[in-house]
Amino acid sequence: MKKIISVVGARPNFMKVAPLYREFKKYDDKIQHLICHTGQHYDEKMSKIFFDELELPKPDFYLGVGSGTHAEQIAGVMVAFEKVLQQEMPDLVIVVGDVNSTIACSLVASRFGIKVAHVEAGLRSFDRSMPEEINRMLTDTIADYLFVTEQSGINNLHHEGIREDRIFFTGNVMIDSLVHYLPKVEKSDILQKLSLSPRDYILVTLHRPANVDTEEGLKGLFGMLNRISAKKKIVFPIHPRTKNNLEKYGLTNIVSGNILLTDPLGYIEFVSLIKNSLLIVTDSGGIQEESTYLQIPCITVRDNTERPVTVTVGTNRLIGTDTGKVEKAVDEILEGKIKRGHIPELWDGHAAGRICKIVAEFI
Ligand code: UD1
């Protein structure tokens, strides 16, 4: 029997590990698959609801690391995960995405000589001021198996000299979750709950430190959202980082009446909001992919994206952080100038199946 530990830490990790958990059950005669939750995200609304909705079991290990500076968070995960590995000595550690928990656990596993698989490898924004970019690069350097979602990832790994036989183009596990839960999404009553009509609202999420950690940044963005909301209702499920910063700078009154701020939503409700929206304004990574799959126009408020296929093939437009340009891009969509897209290669709901098959062969 081989032992595998998959690591989750923050909100965008949960929907990536859920399909792996389901697939590994098919191999339960030869693979024991365990889940370690670092506790980077810990709230009911940032964590627990996702375990419930995505039918993930109670984690086998919970490290309870919580918030803090990046150094505190990464170091805290490392110290706690080292104890788990000492006790369990798995044959493989699987990490996903690019959050602090991803790099922290990869580093510890490599020190024990335990093989590491990185799901969603090779993505690069080429912006080293993003903590996620450093997390991605370092994790890919450590990883023994690199599972890639799009062609750009393969090209990037080649340029960085990663051995060809470690790289596998397997598709997008986050889209696996989306495909799997679409029937439940169809039944969600979130639109009624929030008194919304399909295609009659703009969905906004903004939480990148570069956008929301300064007073000027927040004032600029909310000024823009206020102007946009005069033309179309905005729904903004607000991330704790953004909410905390609005409070910190005394800006909670800046939000206009036609912007509906909600608490962070669960997976099913949030995907339903994406699917029924007129357009999305975001600085998230994953939402660029989900909107591409659901063919909803997406305006990305960043200067770069590590997911370029969402722009070249999908519905995403990379507009940058100039609020005038974002507003113009929104206006174009409101006037009916809509970018149509296609679904990228291998975003078909079967990525986790491919990954587990490869893992089962190799370990
Ligand atoms: C992290 C990831 C980011 C991902 C995002 C999704 C890193 C470097 N960043 O950023 O890539 O897009 O998660 O959400 O790993 N907080 C709560 N409750 C929680 C979790 C956080 O209130 O359950 C608050 C805390 O005040 C915390 C702040 O949110 O200080 C930021 O959380 P943190 O995990 O440090 O980073 P995120 O901004 O969420």
Side-chain angles (χ1 to χ4, degrees):
M1 196 79 161
K2 299 284 183 184
K3 192 188 283 185
I4 297 177
I5 299 183
S6 288
V7 175
V8 291
R11 186 170 59 177
N13 295 160
F14 307 130
M15 50 292 249
K16 294 171 192 167
V17 166
L20 294 172
Y21 168 74
R22 264 199 317 277
E23 284 297 324
F24 274 127
K25 278 196 200 152
K26 297 182 185 161
Y27 297 86
D28 63 2
D29 54 330
K30 57 186 283 203
I31 292 174
Q32 182 189 16
H33 180 244
L34 304 171
I35 295 180
C36 176
H37 185 345
T38 66
Q40 176 176 344
H41 284 176
Y42 45 86
D43 275 358
E44 165 83 28
K45 288 180 174 144
M46 296 295 285
S47 173
K48 174 141 191 328
I49 186 167
F50 292 88
F51 269 77
D52 296 344
E53 290 188 336
L54 297 165
E55 297 160 282
L56 281 164
K58 188 167 172 286
D60 300 280
F61 313 97
Y62 184 75
L63 309 184
V65 168
S67 302
T69 66
H70 285 265
E72 284 165 348
Q73 215 168 45
I74 291 174
V77 172
M78 286 182 71
V79 171
F81 193 56
E82 184 173 53
K83 296 196 176 83
V84 172
L85 292 189
Q86 263 163 351
Q87 183 192 306
E88 299 293 330
M89 284 310 281
D91 300 281
L92 180 74
V93 168
I94 300 182
V95 293
V96 299
D98 54 17
V99 302
N100 285 339
S101 303
T102 309
I103 177 59
C105 293
S106 306
L107 255 177
V108 182
S110 76
R111 285 302 158 103
F112 279 93
I114 296 168
K115 287 202 164 24
V116 174
H118 185 203
V119 174
E120 207 181 83
L123 298 181
R124 297 289 180 269
S125 66
F126 302 102
D127 174 359
R128 287 185 176 225
S129 69
M130 284 175 78
E132 293 86 353
E133 179 74 354
I134 306 296
N135 292 345
R136 288 189 279 262
M137 289 167 53
L138 297 179
T139 303
D140 286 342
T141 307
I142 291 168
D144 299 276
Y145 306 104
L146 297 99
F147 297 114
V148 182
T149 53
E150 64 170 80
Q151 183 61 43
S152 76
I154 298 176
N155 303 347
N156 295 333
L157 294 173
H158 285 164
H159 287 148
E160 290 171 21
I162 304 285
R163 266 172 41 191
E164 179 68 41
D165 62 349
R166 296 185 167 189
I167 304 171
F168 304 89
F169 182 29
T170 41
N172 192 326
V173 283
M174 208 185 57
I175 301 302
D176 289 7
S177 275
L178 196 52
V179 171
H180 186 79
Y181 286 104
L182 269 182
K184 275 198 183 167
V185 167
E186 303 289 355
K187 292 194 195 113
S188 166
D189 61 355
I190 185 68
L191 264 66
Q192 290 93 302
K193 268 205 231 162
L194 300 180
S195 307
L196 299 169
S197 305
R199 308 276 170 262
D200 198 28
Y201 62 92
I202 300 173
L203 180 62
V204 174
T205 80
L206 297 163
H207 75 279
R208 292 264 153 230
N211 281 335
V212 305
D213 275 5
T214 64
E215 187 175 353
E216 305 80 75
L218 280 175
K219 277 186 179 160
L221 284 171
F222 276 91
M224 171 190 83
L225 293 179
N226 284 343
R227 289 192 298 278
I228 294 173
S229 73
K231 300 169 224 174
K232 187 62 75 184
K233 181 166 191 113
I234 287 178
V235 182
F236 187 166
I238 193 160
H239 187 282
R241 174 186 286 280
T242 311
K243 183 167 184 249
N244 293 345
N245 286 334
L246 279 177
E247 281 161 13
K248 176 171 151 195
Y249 296 118
L251 293 174
T252 38
N253 292 333
I254 201 175
V255 185
S256 94
N258 212 23
I259 301 179
L260 178 62
L261 285 187
T262 73
D263 282 341
L265 295 171
Y267 182 71
I268 303 294
E269 292 190 334
F270 188 74
V271 174
S272 175
L273 280 188
I274 296 183
K275 191 167 183 294
N276 289 293
S277 67
L278 176 62
L279 72 113
I280 296 169
V281 175
T282 190
D283 60 7
S284 151
I287 295 169
Q288 297 173 48
E289 296 184 338
E290 289 165 333
S291 55
T292 274
Y293 185 83
L294 294 169
Q295 316 252 309
I296 301 295
C298 179
I299 291 171
T300 296
V301 188
R302 287 175 46 189
D303 295 321
N304 48 60
T305 178
E306 62 285 338
R307 295 164 159 88
V309 77
T310 61
V311 176
T312 53
V313 174
T315 51
N316 190 18
R317 287 185 66 198
L318 195 60
I319 302 297
T321 53
D322 178 325
T323 51
K325 288 189 180 149
V326 174
E327 212 175 327
K328 186 162 167 276
V330 169
D331 284 341
E332 284 171 11
I333 295 173
L334 294 179
E335 286 156 16
K337 284 187 217 142
I338 290 170
K339 180 184 176 194
R340 306 275 169 208
H342 302 281
I343 295 174
E345 196 183 347
L346 295 188
W347 290 21
D348 57 1
H350 301 296
R354 292 182 198 102
I355 290 171
C356 293
K357 188 159 178 274
I358 294 167
V359 166
E361 266 169 36
F362 278 84
I363 66 163

